[in-house]
Amino acid sequence: MNCMLIGVYDRYILVDAGLMFPDFTDLGMQKILPDTSFLAQWRDKIEAVVITHGHEDHIGALPWVVPALDPSTPIYAGGFPMQLIKRRLQEFNLYDEGRLHTINMRQPFQLGPFECTPIRVTHSIPDCCGLVLRSDHGTIVHTGDWKIDENPVDGEVFDREMFESLGREGVALFMSDSTNVLAPGRTTSEALVETSLVNRVLGHQGKGRVITTQFASNLHRMAAVKKAADASGRKICFIGMSLNHYLEAAQREGRAPFDPKEVIDAADLDDYDPNQLLIVTTGSQAEPRAQLTMAAHGLSHQLKLQASDLVLYSAKVIPGNDTRVMQMMNAISQMGPEIAMGRDENLHTSGHAYKGELEEVMRYVKPQHFLPVHGEYAFLTAHAQLARDNGVNYTSVIRNGQMLGVGERRNRNTVSIGSAAGVAGAEEILGRERTDTMQVLGEVELINYYNDGNKGTGTATEMGLEERQVLAVEGIVVCAVDVGRHPEMIRAVAEASAPNAGPAAAAAAARAASQRRLKANVRVTTRGMWVGLGDRLLEQLHTAAKEAVERLPGDAALSAVERVVADALRRTCKAFNRRRPEVVVIAHEFDPRAGAAAAASARRRDTSSDHGTDLRGFQGGQQQRGGGGWQGQQRGYQGRGGQQQQQRMSDREAREVLAENDRRRQQRVREADLLSAPKGAELEDLASSADSSDDDQAVQQLLGGAEKIAPGGDSGAAPKKRRGRPPKAAAADLQELPPGFLDQRRAANPRDHPEQGGNVEYP
Ligand SMILES: [Zn+2]
């Protein structure tokens, strides 16, 4: 990640604020951002931001980095990158003219603790610089991204002279781009690419349109394409917004290779003879929404490929994109156009120095210490070896989050311990005893932030990356459970919750809960899963969920229902086909009054267990915990009257209640473990004991309403029945519930575990 803190003691500057592009495993993510929370912690130490060039992996994170810094922290960049930065900050409402400072090559300026001199380097975007950072404690040189283009299209040559003079002056620490350290030899010039492009376009004269694809920011390449257009008498047409965006930024800075007005409008394509057209597109990496990708699949409104087209692939296939780029090129090829791509065509050159160039500059600078930057860890290691092979004695390789301390070696005997290059580390270097002039001082665990291309930004957890993986690979099971509670249990709990209820009523309620177990109406569906012939998996899931609920006691909380059903569904999926899908279970009360009964029962259990097994304590009538109660009893289920009643209880009654409490405690342990819960076989048929009260009608309807949903829609494989609704009396009761009742109900059904539907507002 190109986002590096460099400092002296604890005064730092931030070099670049880049992002990374996620690979295919970070589903739905478009950007990986640096740890802005770390930068925010260090905001008081970060005195300035300096940008080496305008590539996204160097400026793309600014909209997130800028808010993390102090509002007065200045931002320095060359003219062209500054145009891109201004536009980006405007898009994010972060534009503040006073903070932005344009820098010029070879013109020193004060940058935090350093005197900074920008040094011209060549790369694949205009106006790139390296940084010379001088301080009393030594000189640090950071190259930025670079290559040596001997014949740059814009005439701005690599500043060899200054690198050579730095070698004479003495450099304590040198940091250089490692991207192409494994590539032998030297990069070719953009001028060679220009020649190849011109020849290829001229070779297609009279045969139809020429379409090129390139990185939108590569204005040198745009200039070469323009040369080819001029040589062949064609007009340039851009298809892809970002091409205009970069050309206009260059125009504002006086660096445009041609006037944006010369570009013809994509809407007017049909007005031109195909032999007069040179179309430039985005999408060289087959990005899903880019124009060439869409055209390859016949989805672009602007670009319809024709068999007579010549497609010039003027870019590099970035490792990781290989498969989808080949798929795109295959699709294009099948539509008829001729394609030119590959190394021999010379239609692209890298913007990063090859080994020969790296060695050349290493020999100019002759640093005391070398730190390879910009590249995979393996490349950094190879670059460190290259430095040692070229006479640099002290090299180090660090990871993101590590801080490296470096001291200038004044002479053989004296070692300064003053200066340090800190790379996003947490440890202070001030006052540390040092035995070497280059060592890792500390490390912090940095957090990557992800952005979904829109407002969504957060950590991997916040963006649900693991869930996305599970959903994509394993699928999802969604299960809705209507929980029915037996009227006898509800009545017993209500009686036990009355103000003057005694322990006998509590014991009766506990018995009723144990005997009158839950009934369930289950609906279950899946997405992204193989369900077998005849929806076998759905059948099994339905049965497993129903059985799991109906093993629970009649007053089990909804959260317990969701937990045991989710467990049962997971086990079923694993047994069926070794899948581990995301499982979402939403349970709700068939009758809201029944839920209140369960809540009251849970409160009674909690309060009862406060007594412990101390009989005397119980008989003494301890103060009870308060809280709202069933049927509007605001004083709690055991008010003052209840205590008096308890004091009159016989020993036998008290022992009975305590025994019941113990039994309930054990039962709660069993609830947590479905395997050891009582089996459904012990249950008697709920319907057979129901009378004709409103409650029982509700239960009867519930029992008749079981159904399942087929994957892909509501058209169930099983015949659907009308779902039962609570009778009107129940709705009326709900309206009469006392204030605070719903809050109590929420409290009694905590959804604090994501698996149980943490985001679901209940009721
Ligand atoms: Zn770059």
Side-chain angles (χ1 to χ4, degrees), residues 619-675:
Q619 287 174 321
Q622 288 180 332
Q623 286 296 312
Q624 303 299 314
R625 274 198 277 147
W630 167 241
Q631 291 178 340
Q633 297 303 322
Q634 295 301 308
R635 287 173 297 160
Y637 84 94
Q638 280 178 327
R640 188 150 183 81
Q643 286 177 30
Q644 286 162 359
Q645 176 111 7
Q646 283 159 24
Q647 283 162 4
R648 291 197 301 272
M649 261 193 316
S650 71
D651 274 2
R652 188 190 58 77
E653 285 170 326
R655 282 179 200 285
E656 189 179 300
V657 171
L658 288 175
E660 181 67 17
N661 283 346
D662 284 341
R663 200 189 63 73
R664 297 307 303 266
R665 266 199 296 278
Q666 286 162 11
Q667 182 177 312
R668 260 181 292 161
V669 173
R670 284 203 299 275
E671 276 177 28
D673 182 357
L674 182 66
L675 287 174

Side-chain angles (χ1 to χ4, degrees), residues 535 708-718 720:
D535 296 344
K708 65 173 182 175
I709 316 164
D714 274 342
S715 53
K720 259 195 280 184

Side-chain angles (χ1 to χ4, degrees), residues 2 52-58 123-125 128 144-146 177 351-352 374:
N2 298 310
T52 59
H53 66 287
H55 275 148
E56 277 295 289
D57 61 335
H58 293 258
H123 185 41
S124 49
I125 189 170
C128 300
D145 290 6
W146 66 280
D177 177 355
H352 298 274
H374 204 290

Side-chain angles (χ1 to χ4, degrees), residues 212 214 216 218-219 221-223 225-226 235-248 257-267 269 277-282 291 302-303:
T212 72
Q214 65 163 80
N218 195 334
L219 284 151
R221 194 64 45 81
M222 252 184 232
V225 169
K226 174 67 173 154
K235 295 219 173 301
I236 286 190
C237 174
F238 284 166
I239 297 188
M241 278 305 293
S242 49
L243 292 158
N244 289 308
H245 156 49
Y246 280 103
L247 185 60
E248 282 160 12
F258 53 94
D259 190 334
K261 292 196 192 76
E262 292 179 40
V263 178
I264 64 170
D265 196 329
L269 266 188
L277 288 173
L278 204 171
I279 299 167
V280 184
T281 66
T282 54
Q291 284 297 330
Q302 295 180 314
L303 181 60

